């Protein structure tokens, strides 16, 4: 990809790139602030800490809200934004590609010096790079701010938002949104329609992955009375047999890798479908 092509793509995506840079800077500053407050929350040196330290006076409602918002809710906010990143990315990609087709900008570029396949590659490479680097950076900072992952403070590892927003799956979700949005924009050829179809596709994908996550890696089954791990993903439980089927915390990384692989494969398939569709329409 030439320097001229990169500049052209950045010029096209300038508003989105600026918004992404501002969001990344804000998330970085916010997570650094949360990390500075983490030790106080973990040690329980405040009456409003979670868990609260015994012997301290009861905290007021205002203090409780403030203490919660500065750490637990702050971590939840960043993690939730990471988990839902695919939706705005998909809508933006669908709108951008659809608008270029709708206004004829794409065809003008094709008749000059940029072949259709190179045009599409330019539209994908720059945002994919920015998304990968930026999302990975926020995930690393988020994990740094979460510290020891105390579930009382930051939620259990298997919660959907927590799971997506703390590992490589966050990057895969964002890239899948980019690929689906691009394909939707090519299919519809309209900005609003492309954004709408992309959002619908991502909603289906997000819910499907959420429902199937427990099946991405073999579960453990224990029959009889036993002390379960501190944090585990319960898949099935039978009172009659005292049988528990679950994922322990050690399954976090295998589940992350499999989900990431599935989503990257889907992104690759959607990207390939976009190139095939473009070739057929411009042949």
């Amino acid at each position: 990809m030439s320097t001229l092509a990169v500049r052209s793509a950045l010029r096209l995506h300038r508003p989105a790139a600026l918004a992404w840079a501002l969001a990344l800077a804000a998330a970085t500053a916010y997570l650094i602030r949360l990390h500075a407050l983490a030790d106080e929350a973990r040690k329980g040196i405040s009456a409003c800490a979670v868990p609260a330290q015994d012997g301290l006076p009861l905290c007021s409602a205002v203090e409780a809200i403030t203490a919660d918002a500065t750490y637990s809710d702050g971590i939840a906010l960043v993690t939730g934004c990471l988990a839902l990143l695919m939706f705005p990315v998909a809508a933006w990609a669908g709108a951008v590609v659809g608008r270029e087709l709708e206004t004829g900008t794409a065809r003008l570029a094709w008749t000059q010096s940029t072949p259709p396949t190179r045009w599409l590659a330019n539209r994908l490479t720059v945002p994919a790079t920015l998304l990968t680097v930026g999302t990975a950076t926020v995930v690393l900072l988020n994990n740094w701010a979460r510290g020891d992952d105390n579930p009382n403070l930051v939620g259990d590892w298997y919660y959907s938002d927590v799971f997506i927003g703390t590992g490589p799956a966050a990057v895969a979700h964002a890239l899948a949104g980019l690929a689906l949005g691009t394909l939707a924009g090519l299919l519809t050829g309209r900005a609003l329609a492309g954004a709408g179809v992309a959002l619908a596709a991502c909603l289906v994908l997000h819910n499907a992955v959420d429902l199937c996550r427990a099946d991405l890696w073999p579960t453990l089954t224990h029959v009889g009375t036993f002390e379960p791990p501190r944090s585990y993903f319960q898949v099935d439980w039978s009172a009659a047999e005292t049988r528990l089927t679950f994922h322990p915390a050690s399954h976090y990384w295998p589940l992350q890798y499999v989900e990431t692989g599935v989503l990257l494969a889907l992104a690759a398939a959607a990207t390939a479908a976009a190139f095939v569709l473009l070739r057929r329409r411009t042949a």
Side-chain angles (χ1 to χ4, degrees):
M1 191 174 182
S2 65
T3 303
L4 181 61
V6 172
R7 290 179 179 176
S8 175
L10 285 174
R11 191 179 304 114
L12 172 68
H13 302 308
R14 183 180 298 168
L18 287 175
W20 180 233
L22 289 174
L24 180 59
T28 299
Y30 192 40
L31 287 167
I32 291 173
R33 171 61 177 163
L34 290 176
H35 181 265
L37 299 173
D39 288 341
E40 179 181 346
R42 291 193 199 99
K43 293 177 181 178
I45 61 176
S46 162
C48 296
V50 181
Q53 184 177 1
D54 294 336
L56 289 175
L58 295 176
C59 65
S60 67
V62 174
E63 290 173 329
I65 292 173
T66 302
D68 193 48
T70 53
Y71 190 74
S72 297
D73 284 358
I75 291 291
L77 174 63
V78 174
T79 305
C81 289
L82 283 169
L84 299 177
L85 182 60
M86 74 152 58
F87 291 98
V89 167
W92 164 79
V96 167
V97 173
R99 185 181 68 242
E100 287 203 67
L101 294 174
E102 187 176 7
T103 59
T105 307
R107 292 190 177 278
L108 179 62
W110 302 342
T111 57
Q112 294 181 352
S113 59
T114 306
T117 54
R118 186 182 300 173
W119 168 83
L120 182 56
N122 293 344
R123 295 301 177 268
L124 284 169
T125 302
V126 172
T129 302
L130 293 176
L131 280 172
T132 300
V133 174
T135 305
T137 300
V138 177
V139 168
L140 291 173
L141 288 169
N142 186 34
N143 289 336
W144 173 65
R146 290 168 63 87
D148 58 4
D149 279 341
N150 183 342
N152 293 322
L153 290 170
V154 297
D156 282 295
W157 65 270
Y158 53 83
Y159 291 172
S160 181
D161 287 359
V162 175
F163 184 85
I164 296 173
T166 56
V171 177
H173 275 262
L175 293 178
L178 176 64
L180 290 174
T182 302
L183 180 58
L186 285 172
L187 284 171
T188 61
R190 297 288 186 274
L192 289 178
V197 172
L199 282 175
C202 283
L203 182 62
V204 172
L205 175 62
H206 189 276
N207 289 328
V209 171
D210 199 32
L211 288 172
C212 299
R213 182 170 293 123
D215 300 322
L216 295 178
W217 192 257
T219 57
L220 300 182
T221 301
H222 188 92
V223 179
T225 303
F226 83 114
E227 185 68 25
R230 178 188 178 191
S231 184
Y232 64 96
F233 184 2
Q234 181 175 311
V235 179
D236 186 37
W237 180 73
S238 173
E241 303 178 61
T242 319
R243 186 185 74 245
L244 178 65
T245 303
F246 66 103
H247 285 293
S250 60
H251 284 190
Y252 169 83
W253 283 111
L255 288 168
Q256 276 280 343
Y257 292 141
V258 174
E259 182 167 326
T260 300
V262 169
L263 286 166
L264 290 179
L266 177 63
T271 301
F275 276 99
V276 170
L277 177 63
L278 184 62
R279 286 195 190 98
R280 289 182 176 179
R281 287 188 175 179
T282 57

